[in-house]
Amino acid sequence: MRLTSDAFDDGDPIPEQYGYRAANVNPPLDIHDVPDEAETLALVVDDPDAVEPAGKVWDHWVVWNLPAATTSIPVDFEPPSAGGVEGRNDYGEVGYGGPNPPDREHTYRFVARALDTTLALDSGETKAALEAAVEGHVLAEARLTGTYAP
């Protein structure tokens, strides 16, 4: 399974418009080679470099129950009309919250997982709830990273 974006290559800078203080919309994502036995997809975007300034990995976007047939997530994706359920990010909002590093360039992880089940989680749940729910159900995982500077 692979995760790519037309907006940036793996390890490259994320364009400014996807930042929290800019347009604050998610970048486009493409999902490739999902296992045939997958029922749904889950996606997490977080910032492990936030541990020093924020005291924890900062969660920017948590999405689950995307149809397994999903091959792309467009800019400014809006579940549930497009499929999927969004969780609460660390800004305290449900949905996408873009990069907003307070101190220096940070690396952001976009992680997609193919699951063998549909999750019974309500909108607004946290990444911790998602991580607990996917345990034992992950068929494949794909990762894309990007950087963003203040």
Side-chain angles (χ1 to χ4, degrees), residues 13 22 36 41 60 63 80 114 129-130 136-137 147:
D36 291 339
L41 303 172
H60 288 268
V63 184
L130 174 63
H137 295 286
T147 60

Side-chain angles (χ1 to χ4, degrees), residues 10-116:
D10 189 43
D12 283 352
I14 298 167
E16 183 179 348
Q17 73 245 36
Y18 304 113
Y20 191 71
R21 296 189 188 273
N24 196 35
V25 295
N26 65 275
L29 299 170
D30 293 309
I31 304 165
H32 312 270
D33 306 321
V34 173
D36 291 339
E37 61 272 22
E39 281 191 34
T40 63
L41 303 172
L43 175 70
V44 171
V45 179
D46 64 16
D47 173 6
D49 293 335
V51 170
E52 188 175 313
K56 64 178 189 166
V57 173
W58 193 267
D59 302 329
H60 288 268
W61 201 20
V62 184
V63 184
W64 60 90
N65 290 348
L66 290 163
T70 302
T71 58
S72 66
I73 297 173
V75 172
D76 202 16
F77 182 70
E78 295 272 342
S81 64
V85 180
E86 288 180 305
R88 184 168 309 281
N89 61 42
D90 280 334
Y91 295 113
E93 304 161 351
V94 172
Y96 177 82
N100 189 24
D103 53 353
R104 59 180 171 77
E105 180 180 274
H106 285 203
T107 297
Y108 295 83
R109 300 182 294 201
F110 294 71
V111 179
R113 294 183 178 104
L115 308 177
D116 66 2

